[in-house]
């Protein structure tokens, strides 16, 4: 951060480690706003004044008092509904604040000041800092977006999607390729296909001690009665993956991540991937999986939820239950028939389907969800939990290998 011109005197004692009194007052003045200038004794100039003005436009009295600071209700600052002033403000905050702070301020501006409609203007979209949350907002505005804006919006969405693919693709492919190889292990492998770690574990009961020769310590050997190996590569898909994604408004970030993961999974020859999105209607977007941007613009965020109807559609597409993984991403607020939904999940599991329920697929922390439905799924052996994008490859690998899922600590699910 830029050093201030007003510094504490040499005899002043810091009130916190490594933070001089002057810098501490500067920070409080920045948090509390211009109304605190008298009490803190700080009047900003230069870049500090510009930063304070950008904060004041969003959190000042023009937008109402924000809990915890900034604004007394009598200030006239604010962004209003002027596209030029908002565009300038967006440029200012990108100049003065780091990207993570810019993204938070953009979300606050949309929530507090109702600026979502201004995102329908191309010049506005060019000024924003693109992130997953902005993509969710744009998708919710998709139907109202004029044609002159759609190309700009697609460019913004594509930038976010490409960044996510770079971050997530290599680890996802590596993790799932290993899981697929292990899941295809065979009992009479060729020598080069033997999985020695699994073979040794499977034959530990056949350990034979061998006395040492000429006073040497005793050794031992394992008699491998059963060899375990990897299956040889096949041109056909080894596993069928069905992603069933809730596209209600609260699931926006999950829809974005699920679309990216769906495209990655669809690019793997050893997987057959289907992507289904739903609210009260069900839409199969599998034929668009080669481009996650097309998938995202094929969604329609908002509306009700009918999980049972979506699962009925997914169930109808399952042809190899023992080799199928169904991933339901939903907060479980069911607007359809609850008992039928639970019976359908139980039937899929009984047929051999690996069923995974994710309350969210995002970095947003513990989600809101229907606890009763989550408990009912847990009783069926299909525990529901929130999953970060970084954990998702491990969850899928465990499901493919039919291992226990790596469920996060319960504290993170509250």
């Amino acid at each position: 951060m830029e050093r201030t011109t007003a510094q504490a005197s040499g005899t002043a004692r810091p009130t916190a480690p490594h933070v001089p009194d002057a810098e501490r007052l500067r920070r409080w003045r920045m948090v509390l706003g211009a109304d605190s200038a008298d009490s803190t004794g700080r009047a900003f100039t230069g870049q500090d004044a510009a930063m304070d003005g950008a904060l004041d436009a969003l959190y000042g009295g023009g937008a109402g008092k924000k809990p915890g600071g900034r604004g007394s209700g009598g200030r006239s600052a604010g962004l209003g509904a002027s596209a030029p002033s908002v565009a300038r403000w967006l440029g200012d905050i990108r100049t003065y604040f780091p990207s993570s702070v810019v993204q938070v301020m953009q979300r606050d501006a949309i929530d507090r000041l109702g600026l979502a409609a201004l995102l329908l203007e191309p010049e506005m979209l060019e000024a924003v800092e693109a992130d997953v949350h902005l993509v969710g907002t744009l998708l919710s505005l998709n139907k109202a977006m004029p044609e002159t804006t759609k190309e700009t919006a697609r460019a913004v969405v594509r930038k976010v999607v490409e960044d996510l693919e770079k971050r997530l693709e290599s680890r996802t492919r590596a993790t799932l390729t290993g899981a697929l190889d292990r899941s295809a292990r065979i009992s009479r492998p060729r020598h080069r296909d033997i999985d020695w770690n699994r073979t040794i574990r499977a034959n530990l009961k056949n350990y034979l001690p061998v006395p040492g020769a000429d006073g040497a310590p005793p050794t031992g050997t394992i008699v491998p009665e059963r060899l375990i190996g990897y299956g040889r590569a096949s041109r056909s898909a080894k596993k069928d993956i069905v992603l069933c994604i809730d596209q209600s408004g609260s699931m926006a970030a999950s829809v974005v991540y699920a679309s990216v993961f769906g495209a990655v999974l669809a690019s793997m020859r050893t997987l057959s991937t289907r992507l289904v999105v739903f609210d009260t209607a069900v839409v199969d977007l599998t034929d668009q999986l080669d481009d996650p941007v097309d998938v995202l613009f094929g969604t329609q965020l908002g509306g009700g939820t009918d999980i049972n109807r979506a699962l009925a559609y997914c169930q109808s597409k399952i042809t190899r239950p023992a080799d199928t993984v169904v991933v339901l991403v939903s907060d479980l607020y069911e607007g359809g028939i609850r008992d039928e939904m639970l019976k359908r999940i139980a039937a899929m599991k009984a047929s051999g389907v690996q069923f995974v329920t994710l309350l969210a697929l995002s970095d947003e922390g513990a989600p809101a969800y229907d606890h009763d439905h989550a408990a009912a799924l847990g009783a069926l052996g299909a525990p529901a939990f929130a999953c970060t994008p970084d954990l998702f490859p491990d969850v899928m690998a465990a499901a493919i290998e039919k291992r226990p899922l790596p469920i996060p600590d319960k504290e993170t699910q509250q």
Side-chain angles (χ1 to χ4, degrees):
M1 183 175 287
E2 180 186 73
R3 294 183 60 185
T4 60
T5 55
Q7 298 290 333
S9 66
T11 59
R13 199 172 184 182
T15 57
H18 311 300
V19 181
D21 284 345
E23 175 61 13
R24 191 175 179 84
L25 286 173
R26 173 182 176 274
R27 294 180 182 183
W28 274 112
R29 165 66 179 77
M30 194 71 73
V31 169
L32 297 174
D35 291 343
S36 66
D38 292 339
S39 59
T40 60
R42 295 302 304 265
F44 286 149
T45 59
Q47 180 170 307
D48 281 350
M51 292 173 66
D52 186 57
L55 290 167
D56 202 43
L58 176 57
Y59 300 117
K65 183 177 175 63
K66 180 178 176 62
R70 300 202 71 91
S72 62
R75 302 157 73 129
S76 59
L79 295 174
S82 166
S85 66
V86 176
R88 285 194 298 272
W89 177 79
L90 287 168
D92 286 345
I93 64 175
R94 293 178 70 175
T95 299
Y96 301 128
F97 300 101
S99 177
S100 58
V101 176
V102 170
Q103 292 169 7
V104 171
M105 293 179 72
Q106 286 178 173
R107 294 200 295 273
D108 284 349
I110 291 171
D111 293 341
R112 292 166 59 91
L113 305 180
L115 299 182
L118 292 179
L119 294 176
L120 300 179
E121 302 182 23
E123 61 270 21
M124 288 291 297
L125 284 177
E126 293 170 356
V128 296
E129 187 78 19
D131 68 343
V132 170
H133 305 282
L134 178 66
V135 170
T137 301
L138 291 177
L139 296 180
S140 69
L141 297 171
N142 184 26
K143 301 303 180 183
M145 195 174 289
E147 290 300 322
T148 54
T149 305
K150 283 189 175 180
E151 282 307 310
T152 305
R154 288 182 71 89
V156 171
V157 172
R158 187 169 297 282
K159 178 181 183 301
V160 174
V161 166
E162 289 176 350
D163 288 345
L164 289 177
E165 284 185 309
K166 290 177 184 177
R167 169 188 156 194
L168 302 171
E169 181 174 13
S170 60
R171 181 169 177 270
T172 300
R173 293 179 68 91
T175 301
L176 296 192
T177 297
L180 287 162
D181 287 343
R182 290 187 292 272
S183 70
R185 62 183 184 272
I186 55 178
S187 59
R188 297 183 63 185
R190 298 183 182 185
H191 184 271
R192 66 174 177 268
D193 295 329
I194 295 175
D195 182 341
W196 287 109
N197 289 332
R198 290 180 179 270
T199 295
I200 291 171
R201 286 198 296 270
N203 290 278
L204 286 175
K205 63 182 179 180
N206 301 321
Y207 178 82
L208 296 177
V210 177
D214 299 326
T219 58
T221 186
I222 292 175
V223 179
E225 292 182 351
R226 184 164 66 95
L227 298 177
I228 299 175
Y230 304 125
R232 298 181 65 79
S234 171
R235 292 181 179 274
S236 61
K238 297 177 181 178
K239 295 289 181 178
D240 297 336
I241 308 295
V242 181
L243 300 176
C244 186
I245 314 301
D246 185 342
Q247 62 174 351
S248 57
S250 61
M251 302 295 294
S254 296
V255 170
V256 175
Y257 281 113
S259 299
V260 172
F261 276 118
V264 173
L265 298 178
S267 69
M268 298 179 65
R269 187 180 62 183
T270 49
L271 293 176
S272 174
T273 303
R274 181 176 297 275
L275 178 66
V276 176
V277 298
F278 69 92
D279 41 37
T280 53
V282 179
V283 180
D284 193 327
L285 297 176
T286 303
D287 60 350
Q288 299 178 38
L289 272 175
D290 58 333
D291 188 345
V293 176
D294 286 341
V295 170
L296 288 171
F297 278 94
T299 63
Q300 183 173 341
L301 293 176
T305 308
D306 193 337
I307 303 173
N308 177 57
R309 184 176 183 181
L311 291 178
Y313 177 82
C314 294
Q315 189 178 26
S316 72
K317 299 299 180 180
I318 295 174
T319 58
R320 303 188 302 164
D323 293 315
T324 299
V325 178
V326 174
V327 182
L328 171 65
V329 183
S330 174
D331 54 18
L332 299 180
Y333 288 110
E334 171 65 318
I337 306 173
R338 175 187 187 274
D339 291 342
E340 287 297 318
M341 175 188 75
L342 296 176
K343 288 179 182 178
R344 200 173 298 283
I345 294 172
M348 281 191 275
K349 285 184 61 63
S351 70
V353 171
Q354 296 296 300
F355 196 91
V356 179
T357 307
L358 303 181
L359 301 170
L361 178 55
S362 71
D363 288 315
E364 296 181 326
Y369 63 95
D370 190 305
H371 290 257
D372 290 339
H373 288 163
L377 288 178
L380 292 175
F385 56 97
C387 178
T388 64
D390 289 336
L391 180 62
F392 184 74
D394 296 324
V395 170
M396 291 302 299
I400 286 171
E401 294 185 70
K402 302 183 179 181
R403 295 186 283 107
L405 301 178
I407 300 174
D409 294 337
K410 288 184 178 180
E411 288 76 8
T412 65
Q413 306 297 312
Q414 300 301 317

